Amino acid sequence: MKIKPIQIALFLILILGVLFGLMFLSEKGGIQKAQTQEDGFSYEDISLKYPTYRTFLGLDKDTTISRQDILEVTQTVVPLEEEIETEADEENEEVVSIPKKDSLLRPDFSKIDTTRIVRIRYPDSNPDFVSELHKKLSSRSCRIIHYGDSQLEGDRITGYLRNRLQKMYGGSGPGFIPVKPVYNQLSAIVKPSDNWLRYAKFDPTQVKFKNRKYGAYLSVSRFTPYSKTVLDSTAIDSLPIIKASVTISKSRKTYAKFKRFTDIGLHYGNCLHPVKIKVFNNGELIQQDSLRADGKYHKYRIRTATTPKDLKIEVEGKISPDFYGLTLDGGSRVQIDNVAMRGSSGTIFSSTSAATYGRMARTLKPKIIIMQYGGNTIPYLKDSTEVDKYAKYVVSQVDWMRRRRKNINFLFIGPTDMCIPVNGQMETYPLLPYLNTKLMETCLDNNIAYWSMYDAMGGKGSMELWVEEKLAGNDYTHFTRKGTKIISELFFTALYLDLKEEDDDT
């Protein structure tokens, strides 16, 4: 039998009509997930996702924030760019002087609507919090440790803030860099030999150290594998001597302040067997020693007259110590360490060796600690009770660090807006606004300042628009390079406004 075109058309119309009709029977939020409810049918253990007619026609789309709102937020500030070094700059290295107050590089407030800047919240119990920050930043030496998740990888956000504060208060150098870096960063060039291994407390795929000695940066580099078993003297005698090296030089494409460092620290511990160290600068041997084999944390210090162009550190021994990382500092004023912990929620500090963390903290002498977490927790939270527990756990980590090192000001940066697909549209995680609010309340109640990155972006639904403007990636979580600079400048401007008020009062 020959089928006519009209019959095919009618059949398709009938099918489409049935499918559209089912939308009126589909239940809004009929399928319950961890944090979301999606449209569809559900019967006992069987569920079928299916849009309602309102979802299909876009009648329930959230219009509380527009593209224009995001443009106004992101155009409020003008970020700085990196300075690319020329051959002349390299040949004539400048002596960096500490700027005077009237020569500080300030945001251009003639172009900034400060009413749109989301300000940092400070605890009511400590009205001197800002003056404490100002005093520490203005002191002879102020180390800041910036802990965070993958948003910080590659010295993102931290590097921008470091450059801004070093221009304001003096200081140079990029601070902490692992001996074996695992992500690209432009703050300095660090190249380890191929036999280095990296162990991170926050990496769930790796074996964990039984002694829990991960140091203040929570990761370790070794030139021989970590072993849970203790070797006897006979076994150790039969081991070969292993040599490893790491070369350090300044990066040409970074902020000028980071290109000047003359105080290099090699942080190590758990050294129980002889290890020799040699340091070469431009091929010339400038230092040679033996590391202290007492098992405790130590800092091996290397000083150079000018920023090294090709500094090589060689170590050799049968069993590697734990190397907690390098610090590349200018010697004084502001130093900021970037500690990016991919996948971490900021809840593992207290599960490390308190003694090792404490000794390292007393050597580093951090005066300010910034914590930036929450993004890795939000996908796994099921209800408000779990949010409350997480907020309390974050504060317990701060309390643990406070017991290791006194007189530290803590500032917490909350999570970004994050989106997941719901009924074919990208929507903010339902528990994220409550998480942001709860973290803020809990931090402020425990003498921790708080900056809401979520609100600074524009609040609920803002991430989708940041992605559309190419300021965030398609994972709806991480910023692009351009977006990173904008959010960093928004944070710095909020901090600067408070420090400026303190300047005006003095």
Side-chain angles (χ1 to χ4, degrees):
M1 182 180 70
K2 186 176 180 180
I3 300 176
K4 298 179 180 179
I6 187 64
Q7 292 175 310
I8 297 175
L10 290 173
F11 177 76
L12 292 175
I13 292 172
L14 176 63
I15 295 298
L16 292 174
V18 171
L19 293 175
F20 186 75
L22 288 174
M23 294 182 187
F24 290 86
L25 300 177
S26 177
E27 183 180 356
K28 184 172 180 60
I31 300 176
Q32 179 67 52
K33 293 190 175 183
Q35 290 189 39
T36 62
Q37 293 178 319
E38 298 205 59
D39 300 345
F41 307 97
S42 182
Y43 178 74
E44 294 183 351
D45 295 332
I46 301 174
S47 60
L48 175 65
K49 286 177 58 176
Y50 203 84
T52 66
Y53 79 96
R54 294 189 64 84
T55 300
F56 182 76
L57 297 175
L59 300 178
D60 293 330
K61 187 173 178 63
D62 189 349
T63 57
T64 57
I65 187 171
S66 67
R67 178 175 181 271
Q68 184 59 35
D69 293 326
I70 296 302
L71 289 176
E72 289 179 5
V73 168
T74 57
Q75 293 172 2
T76 299
V77 293
V78 180
L80 299 180
E81 295 296 329
E82 294 92 342
E83 299 99 337
I84 300 176
E85 186 178 73
T86 65
E87 293 295 335
D89 294 330
E90 187 174 6
E91 292 299 324
N92 302 291
E93 185 171 307
E94 299 177 16
V95 177
V96 180
S97 60
I98 298 168
K100 299 178 181 178
K101 271 189 180 181
D102 58 3
S103 66
L104 300 183
L105 182 60
R106 300 178 174 88
D108 185 356
F109 288 108
S110 66
K111 302 177 181 178
I112 296 176
D113 180 3
T114 57
T115 62
R116 299 192 65 89
I117 300 295
V118 172
R119 303 294 290 269
I120 299 170
R121 295 282 302 276
Y122 298 98
D124 293 334
S125 60
N126 186 1
D128 298 324
F129 200 104
V130 177
S131 62
E132 290 171 1
L133 290 180
H134 183 269
K135 183 178 180 180
K136 290 175 178 179
L137 288 166
S138 303
S139 65
R140 179 64 183 170
S141 177
C142 179
R143 181 170 291 279
I144 302 171
I145 301 180
H146 188 180
Y147 293 111
D149 51 30
S150 55
Q151 291 283 14
L152 303 189
E153 285 185 352
D155 206 23
R156 295 184 299 167
I157 298 180
T158 310
Y160 192 92
L161 178 64
R162 182 191 303 118
N163 178 56
R164 276 300 210 173
L165 291 178
Q166 286 181 343
K167 283 180 178 291
M168 283 183 65
Y169 295 100
S172 62
F176 164 71
I177 296 178
V179 173
K180 182 179 173 62
V182 293
Y183 44 79
N184 294 327
Q185 53 83 31
L186 300 176
S187 300
I189 300 173
V190 175
K191 295 182 179 179
S193 57
D194 293 337
N195 55 341
W196 284 100
L197 304 167
R198 180 238 194 191
Y199 302 87
K201 173 64 177 175
F202 47 86
D203 188 341
T205 66
Q206 291 182 328
V207 60
K208 297 298 181 287
F209 287 5
K210 188 176 180 180
N211 58 26
R212 302 183 297 139
K213 295 181 179 180
Y214 288 90
Y217 298 133
L218 283 82
S219 65
V220 165
S221 299
R222 294 175 57 91
F223 60 81
T224 62
Y226 166 76
S227 175
K228 290 184 178 181
T229 59
V230 178
L231 300 178
D232 57 31
S233 58
T234 303
I236 293 172
D237 290 341
S238 64
L239 293 175
I241 293 177
I242 304 296
K243 180 182 291 187
S245 65
V246 57
T247 58
I248 304 163
S249 58
K250 61 182 176 180
S251 172
R252 285 191 176 184
K253 190 178 180 181
T254 188
Y255 297 109
K257 286 284 187 177
F258 303 174
K259 301 170 186 174
R260 299 179 176 92
F261 52 88
T262 56
D263 188 353
I264 298 99
L266 177 63
H267 303 265
Y268 71 95
N270 196 31
C271 182
L272 301 171
H273 307 281
V275 173
K276 295 179 180 180
I277 181 170
K278 294 181 180 180
V279 182
F280 300 86
N281 192 7
N282 293 327
E284 179 184 351
L285 179 65
I286 60 172
Q287 290 180 211
Q288 60 177 334
D289 291 288
S290 294
L291 299 183
R292 298 179 66 176
D294 58 5
K296 298 179 181 179
Y297 159 79
H298 297 286
K299 173 186 175 181
Y300 184 79
R301 193 173 187 183
I302 303 165
R303 295 298 302 268
T304 57
T306 59
T307 303
K309 296 178 182 178
D310 183 20
L311 188 83
K312 183 177 183 179
I313 302 173
E314 285 187 354
V315 288
E316 62 175 46
K318 294 186 175 183
I319 298 179
S320 175
D322 296 335
F323 291 93
Y324 304 122
L326 297 155
T327 46
L328 312 180
D329 298 333
S332 63
R333 301 292 173 170
V334 174
Q335 315 290 336
I336 307 184
D337 298 324
N338 168 273
V339 187
M341 301 157 58
R342 178 178 293 190
S344 176
S345 296
T347 58
I348 62 172
F349 294 91
S350 60
S351 62
T352 65
S353 166
T356 302
Y357 186 99
R359 290 191 188 99
M360 195 166 176
R362 287 191 292 274
T363 297
L364 292 169
K365 297 180 177 63
K367 294 183 178 179
I368 300 169
I369 288 181
I370 302 173
M371 299 178 70
Q372 185 174 330
Y373 296 104
N376 289 314
T377 298
I378 193 64
Y380 304 101
L381 296 172
K382 296 179 181 179
D383 51 41
S384 60
T385 301
E386 292 191 356
V387 172
D388 296 348
K389 289 180 179 177
Y390 173 68
K392 290 178 180 178
Y393 203 17
V394 165
V395 170
S396 74
Q397 301 303 295
V398 172
D399 290 339
W400 184 88
M401 285 186 275
R402 280 174 171 159
R403 292 193 293 272
R404 312 282 86 79
R405 175 72 180 170
K406 306 296 183 183
N407 194 30
I408 293 179
N409 286 88
F410 282 84
L411 193 159
F412 197 96
I413 297 177
T416 65
D417 184 38
M418 295 170 58
C419 294
I420 52 172
V422 179
N423 297 320
Q425 299 176 2
M426 299 305 294
E427 296 184 5
T428 294
Y429 276 89
L431 284 173
L432 203 159
Y434 179 67
L435 171 64
N436 183 60
T437 299
K438 193 62 183 182
L439 280 171
M440 182 185 300
E441 292 175 353
T442 309
C443 285
L444 295 178
D445 288 343
N446 290 272
N447 196 25
I448 305 167
Y450 190 90
W451 188 65
S452 174
M453 189 181 294
Y454 169 77
D455 290 324
M457 289 179 65
K460 185 178 180 180
S462 57
M463 178 56 81
E464 182 179 14
L465 295 167
W466 279 61
V467 172
E468 290 178 4
E469 295 301 315
K470 301 189 184 307
L471 301 176
N474 291 329
D475 60 358
Y476 289 82
T477 300
H478 296 91
F479 297 109
T480 61
R481 182 173 176 270
K482 182 179 179 181
T484 296
K485 290 188 175 185
I486 290 174
I487 201 69
S488 301
E489 180 68 6
L490 286 169
F491 172 68
F492 169 75
T493 303
L495 178 61
Y496 178 82
L497 286 169
D498 299 326
L499 296 172
K500 179 179 181 294
E501 290 178 6
E502 191 65 27
D503 265 338
D504 293 341
D505 292 338
T506 56

